[in-house]
Amino acid sequence: MSDFLLEAVHITKTFGEFAANDDVTLRLKPGEIHALLGENGAGKSTLVKMMYGALQPSDGELRWRGKPVRIANPAAARALGVGMVFQHFSLFEALTVAENVALALPDATDMAALATRIEQVSRGYGLPLQPHALVADLSVGQRQRIEIVRCLLQEPSLLIMDEPTAVLTPQEADQLFVTLRRLAAEGCAILYISHRLEEVKALCQAATVLRRGKVVAVVDPRRETAASLARHMVGVDVADVSTRMVQALGEAILTLDHVSLPADGPFGTALRDVSLEVAGGEIVAIAGVAGNGQSELFDAVSGERLEGVGGSITIAGHGCAARGIKARRALGAAFVPEERLGHGAVPDFPLSHNVILTRFAVDDGMVQRGLVNLGLAGDVAGRVAGAFDVRTAHSDPEARSLSGGNLQKFVIGRELDRRPRLLVVNQPTWGVDAGAAAVIRQALIDLARSGSAVLVISQDLDEIFAIADRIAVISRGELSDSRPTGDLDREAIGLLMAGAHERGASERAAS
Amino acid sequence: MRLVLERRAERSRLMTWLSPVLAVALTLLAGAVIFSLMGLDPAHALYVYFLEPVLWWWSLEELVVKAAPLVLIGVGLAVCFRANVWNIGAEGQLTMGALFGSALPILWHEFQSFPVMVLMLMMGALGGALYAAIPAYLRTRFGTNEILTSLMLVYVAQLIADWFIRGPWRDPQGFNFPKSVQFEGWQLLPTFGDGRMHLGAGLALVAVVVLYVLMSRTLKGFEVRVVGTAPRAGTFAGFSSKRMVWFCLLLSGGLAGLAGICEVAGPSGHLQPAISPGYGFTAIIVAFLGRLNPAGVLVAGVMLGISYLGGEAAQIDLGISDKTAQVFQGILLFFILACDTLILYRIRLLRSQTAYGDAGR
């Protein structure tokens, strides 16, 4: 009998050329709360999905209580004793708590008995739930309890939690920690994924840190500082910081003054009091862990969301409170959203029609007396494809048939072709191969050097250090002051990402 | 060995046009099976149902009479569905159009000069559009599902019409039959041929041409297609999805209303409780069979018109219920939607179960 409950030994998982996990080893002891740390895209979800049977490793093996196992699917994982609470819940709002739980159980169940058990278990672990309440009426925290109780009813020996506190208030989070400690004391192992380093320090006895698919450290977080953990996460091999000459800057082209925006749905993050200025000639980058308000910031700046925006947004000297995205484009602004397919481009449309999407209101002759000039759109599509080396199987293919990198070059090229005075781009090289990424970064730098203002929202610190003149960090919807790239290192940014600049962060850490 | 649906890189142009043909073929096959289960000779039954209606001049004229409202409503719905706005209540908008358009000839029977026809057509379109404005308002203001509201409003419209026809608008000299006074002069649409084909067919052709140009060449048509296939991209382009809901419902409601008044002022010549044999619902099938393309709708309208005529012929010649028409229409819609899967997917035969490790990604 081994000391370990679950071991992932030399696990490799490749998707095509890309190794999401590369020789990863992680060992979990019974009764241990073990943190899995890493930036977005570091390979945490891939690893966890293999432990839960949703993916199969390409190489390496999983061992359960010392014996090799193949976890064929999530049902097999549950039978083994692995429970998982996902970040995004899978609950039916129109059903009651008990009905939702019953749906997850393998066999037909006596509803009355189940309701009693739910009440007992949930009260026993300090997660009180009313079995007959409608899920639609419950808060996010209560919904998470359902997911947890659903797992607990199957008496798991390992509980995997994916960023459980991301959606909780501090008070709800505290209550969750009590429950988790109690579970651990009963011998249940907990694999805890989080970006909140203070939380990990307070809760976990061990931490495995992933970076770019590899294990870079296995540490005892109680002996570490938030700063040292952050350093492990983002890496100490700091790329040489950009020292390119910044010419005299032009006037501010984009000004955000105390901008706020309510969250868009339960998994969104509200923007709070965001102020920022981007001048002609510079690239300002906004770093941060995903889901900290980046998409809300993009929506507010682009004008895709107008309702509920507080504070003021000024583009090229014009207040934009009442101006939608079309009017902002007319002021010389251009936008590239994070999601290429379905947001930045219509998947079913050929590239020429996708040119019209962002340019019908700003190009002379694209639309004449209500009629679309398809010939001109085709010319522009050809020009963009030529200038940015967009490789296509035949002329004017549908957007969906392009590879991620090629489509991203097209979507960015479509805007750059306009020579915009302001470019706002969210995740310019997300999921793009290295060659295309280099082309895109060079194009952004060239645009800024030609006198335009560029705002880049990115989760890739390498990218940010490579191209940005100034960096600000967004965390839980709050934006830090921006500082010149040369004054910052990864450690400082890592701390800011973990929320060191937030108002109230200090009180929370103290409590 | 198992069959899998595999996503194509691009939409197949071939399947876009082959799918409705395949659907029609499968419908005929299913029809043959149903007829033989009913103890009829399938070949003869299909002949009576689908061929006989197009073999005689008079029945071709009758086909135009049936196809005109289907096409008129169908093109409006095609635009609607393209924009992902699900107006299922064209039948109600048709009823309201008939009611609004009939107000003039019923309340002011002496007004029989040319302008009355123009006014009646305008009132008909207005009635349909106003009635479609109800689901549009509910959707944009409260986020109500327009499928449900527009559908339920059909029955409301029919009850309102019924009340008018049996109540205040009943012909005083009509021996208590539930019908309005007979329309006279320009209150009736001009007719062609042997006397059943009327101006509605011309209006349907005009609507097809106008909406074809709208959808293929104009910015508005572009907007409809963007908002329909990728709403997020629509917002990004700067198109308002709320205004799109209004545009689509008013347009399709107006055209359905126009079809309604054309039915009353055309073939019937008076208002009666049964204004349409379900044209508003059948037009949904017309829109889909026509690939949500105005030109395609024209062809599809004729085909569905045949199913109505065939239903009548089958009732007389074969002695089966006229509900078979609805059965065929339902089967056809089912097969179109099923065959449309092949536009974006291809069927592949897999020899053995491969490693499914990457499937979850």
Side-chain angles (χ1 to χ4, degrees):
Chain A
M1 187 86 183
S2 151
D3 281 350
F4 296 106
L5 179 70
L6 178 67
E7 293 165 272
V9 188
H10 301 300
I11 294 277
T12 295
K13 176 68 187 173
T14 51
F15 296 106
E17 301 271 290
F18 174 69
N21 277 179
D22 185 1
D23 196 17
V24 169
T25 297
L26 186 149
R27 296 191 160 90
L28 287 166
K29 285 183 206 150
E32 171 185 63
I33 306 184
H34 192 118
L36 184 57
L37 297 175
E39 287 184 286
N40 268 81
K44 301 184 304 269
S45 324
T46 307
L47 179 59
V48 163
K49 276 184 187 161
M50 284 186 280
M51 293 178 169
Y52 194 58
L55 287 178
Q56 297 301 315
S58 312
D59 200 10
E61 70 176 8
L62 294 169
R63 291 183 200 147
W64 182 258
R65 299 189 198 278
K67 293 193 191 80
V69 284
R70 194 176 105 82
I71 304 176
N73 50 49
R78 285 193 292 268
L80 211 54
V82 181
M84 177 152 181
V85 176
F86 292 90
Q87 193 181 0
H88 288 210
F89 312 144
S90 46
L91 297 171
F92 293 95
E93 294 205 348
L95 300 182
T96 66
V97 172
E99 285 163 344
N100 265 291
V101 173
L103 281 175
L105 296 180
D107 309 310
T109 2
D110 171 15
M111 285 305 288
L114 181 64
T116 326
R117 267 193 75 204
I118 290 173
E119 228 173 339
Q120 281 169 355
V121 171
S122 65
R123 203 152 6 90
Y125 284 98
L127 302 166
L129 273 177
Q130 305 257 333
H132 299 296
L134 268 188
V135 169
D137 299 332
L138 301 181
S139 72
V140 176
Q142 287 169 313
R143 290 179 195 204
Q144 188 183 52
R145 281 182 202 166
I146 305 174
E147 295 270 359
I148 298 174
V149 168
R150 184 146 87 175
C151 286
L152 294 184
L153 283 179
Q154 305 185 359
E155 287 157 9
S157 4
L158 167 61
L159 188 60
I160 303 173
M161 306 205 73
D162 190 2
E163 294 197 47
T165 53
V167 294
L168 298 184
T169 64
Q171 292 76 15
E172 285 173 327
D174 287 343
Q175 188 159 29
L176 176 68
F177 297 157
V178 173
T179 306
L180 294 183
R181 287 198 183 98
R182 164 133 186 237
L183 270 171
E186 289 174 4
C188 180
I190 293 164
L191 184 63
Y192 188 85
I193 303 175
S194 178
H195 287 114
R196 312 241 147 250
L197 303 177
E198 289 295 341
E199 227 170 77
V200 168
K201 262 171 64 63
L203 188 67
C204 303
Q205 290 105 46
T208 298
V209 187
L210 291 181
R211 182 165 7 112
R212 301 194 172 207
K214 291 190 172 139
V215 174
V216 290
V218 180
V219 295
D220 181 344
R222 290 166 300 186
R223 292 167 198 278
E224 302 278 328
T225 62
S228 65
L229 285 173
R231 195 161 53 226
H232 284 307
M233 270 168 71
V234 298
V236 283
D237 49 336
V238 182
D240 50 341
V241 168
S242 158
T243 49
R244 279 169 295 106
M245 287 293 293
V246 180
Q247 326 105 305
L249 293 180
E251 290 174 18
I253 294 180
L254 172 69
T255 309
L256 307 180
D257 193 17
H258 301 291
V259 170
S260 63
L261 182 64
D264 190 12
F267 300 108
T269 306
L271 283 188
R272 287 183 289 177
D273 203 12
V274 169
S275 296
L276 181 71
E277 220 169 68
V278 188
E282 68 171 345
I283 298 182
V284 175
I286 293 180
V289 173
N292 272 285
Q294 286 96 332
S295 52
E296 283 80 2
L297 181 64
F298 181 85
D299 287 351
V301 174
S302 68
E304 278 193 65
R305 281 177 71 194
L306 286 176
E307 275 174 49
V309 176
S312 76
I313 297 172
T314 312
I315 294 175
H318 297 271
C320 285
R323 283 175 216 252
I325 188 164
K326 252 192 298 185
R328 293 182 196 196
R329 286 197 183 105
L331 293 174
F335 308 96
V336 179
E338 175 178 5
E339 186 63 46
R340 297 178 275 269
L341 272 181
H343 192 176
V346 181
D348 295 348
F349 282 14
L351 295 185
S352 60
H353 290 216
N354 270 303
V355 163
I356 302 168
L357 193 69
T358 60
R359 300 189 46 167
F360 66 91
V362 289
D363 278 54
D364 285 343
M366 195 68 91
V367 175
Q368 284 163 323
R369 276 175 278 132
L371 294 182
V372 173
N373 187 341
L374 286 174
L376 180 61
D379 292 348
V380 174
R383 194 164 70 217
V384 169
F388 289 88
D389 188 26
V390 179
R391 283 167 216 166
T392 59
H394 54 94
S395 74
D396 213 12
E398 284 177 14
R400 77 158 80 247
S401 69
L402 263 60
S403 73
N406 273 317
L407 185 58
Q408 186 70 5
K409 282 191 282 187
F410 171 77
V411 168
I412 290 186
R414 176 180 67 188
E415 305 308 319
L416 291 177
D417 181 68
R418 278 178 53 207
R419 305 249 123 237
R421 294 181 67 192
L422 166 68
L423 177 69
V424 180
V425 45
N426 192 0
Q427 295 279 55
T429 59
W430 179 249
V432 165
D433 63 276
V439 171
I440 290 169
R441 287 173 192 161
Q442 192 56 50
L444 296 179
I445 292 171
D446 292 347
L447 180 70
R449 295 301 168 255
S450 75
S452 301
V454 179
L455 178 64
V456 175
I457 303 170
S458 176
Q459 289 156 36
D460 182 342
L461 279 180
D462 286 336
E463 168 167 279
I464 287 178
F465 277 112
I467 64 175
D469 299 309
R470 278 193 296 136
I471 302 175
V473 177
I474 192 165
S475 168
R476 294 210 200 188
E478 290 185 27
L479 192 67
S480 73
D481 291 334
S482 67
R483 281 195 259 163
T485 306
D487 295 358
L488 282 167
D489 56 17
R490 282 166 184 264
E491 193 178 325
I493 289 188
L495 269 180
L496 289 170
M497 279 181 172
H501 65 284
E502 288 170 26
R503 257 150 275 135
S506 42
E507 298 109 76
R508 266 204 301 282
S511 66
Chain B
M1 295 255 277
R2 63 197 174 117
L3 289 171
V4 291
L5 278 179
E6 188 183 73
R7 204 181 171 97
R8 299 174 193 265
E10 294 192 54
R11 299 156 60 82
S12 157
R13 269 162 212 273
L14 175 68
M15 284 314 299
T16 310
W17 293 104
L18 207 56
S19 151
V21 176
L22 209 58
V24 169
L26 287 168
T27 306
L28 291 181
L29 201 66
V33 171
I34 292 175
F35 281 135
S36 46
L37 285 177
M38 292 165 79
L40 297 164
D41 171 17
H44 177 65
L46 288 177
Y47 171 80
V48 169
Y49 206 101
F50 292 103
L51 270 183
E52 233 174 24
V54 292
L55 294 181
W56 308 97
W57 181 246
W58 66 265
S59 61
L60 280 178
E61 281 194 15
E62 197 57 31
L63 183 56
V64 173
V65 173
K66 294 270 193 282
L70 289 176
V71 171
L72 202 51
I73 304 170
V75 278
L77 292 185
V79 174
C80 237
F81 296 164
R82 261 286 154 86
N84 241 336
V85 176
W86 299 102
N87 179 8
I88 306 298
E91 185 75 7
Q93 292 137 25
L94 174 148
T95 306
M96 272 299 158
L99 211 55
F100 265 62
S102 303
L104 267 179
I106 290 172
L107 300 176
W108 189 4
H109 197 63
E110 303 75 44
F111 182 20
Q112 293 174 4
S113 56
F114 176 73
V116 75
M117 185 188 79
V118 179
L119 285 173
M120 281 168 68
L121 292 176
M122 286 168 62
M123 291 278 286
L126 180 72
L130 279 180
Y131 205 59
I134 300 173
Y137 177 76
L138 293 174
R139 158 88 186 261
T140 50
R141 177 73 181 75
F142 301 107
T144 324
N145 185 325
E146 77 278 10
I147 299 177
L148 296 176
T149 50
S150 65
L151 177 61
M152 291 190 292
L153 282 167
V154 170
Y155 307 107
V156 177
Q158 288 173 341
L159 289 173
I160 292 175
D162 209 56
W163 179 77
F164 269 101
I165 297 161
R166 292 175 199 278
W169 285 5
R170 188 168 52 188
D171 182 1
Q173 271 99 52
F175 307 103
N176 239 355
F177 280 107
K179 64 186 253 336
S180 74
V181 289
Q182 190 66 25
F183 298 179
E184 305 283 349
W186 280 103
Q187 292 168 351
L188 291 166
L189 293 180
T191 56
F192 311 96
D194 289 345
R196 292 264 300 163
M197 275 197 297
H198 56 83
L199 185 65
L203 292 176
L205 283 179
V206 171
V208 166
V209 172
V210 169
L211 290 187
Y212 182 80
V213 172
L214 177 100
M215 289 302 287
S216 58
R217 299 307 313 270
T218 68
L219 184 63
K220 194 72 196 171
F222 181 77
E223 187 178 336
V224 168
R225 293 187 292 130
V226 172
V227 172
T229 62
R232 214 49 230 281
T235 319
F236 180 61
F239 301 140
S240 153
S241 58
K242 286 188 177 179
R243 275 188 17 220
M244 183 50 63
V245 170
W246 278 103
F247 170 78
C248 288
L249 279 165
L250 292 184
L251 175 77
S252 57
L255 287 172
L258 199 58
I261 185 57
C262 285
E263 278 308 291
V264 176
S268 359
H270 58 258
L271 201 55
Q272 61 192 26
I275 297 165
S276 114
Y279 288 139
F281 291 120
T282 308
I284 297 170
I285 307 170
V286 170
F288 275 109
L289 186 64
R291 321 280 55 211
L292 303 186
N293 174 322
V297 165
L298 187 59
V299 179
V302 172
M303 293 189 58
L304 267 296
I306 294 177
S307 79
Y308 273 117
L309 290 185
E312 288 172 8
Q315 199 179 359
I316 297 162
D317 281 12
L318 308 171
I320 55 176
S321 160
D322 63 339
K323 295 280 185 284
T324 27
Q326 287 175 23
V327 171
F328 271 109
Q329 292 171 2
I331 294 174
L332 183 57
L333 180 62
F334 171 82
F335 279 123
I336 297 168
L337 295 178
C339 290
D340 275 359
T341 312
L342 296 174
I343 296 174
L344 202 50
Y345 294 84
R346 66 166 65 90
I347 296 177
R348 275 224 348 217
L349 192 67
L350 278 196
R351 299 224 154 265
S352 65
Q353 231 174 346
T354 52
Y356 48 87
D358 292 276
R361 200 177 182 212

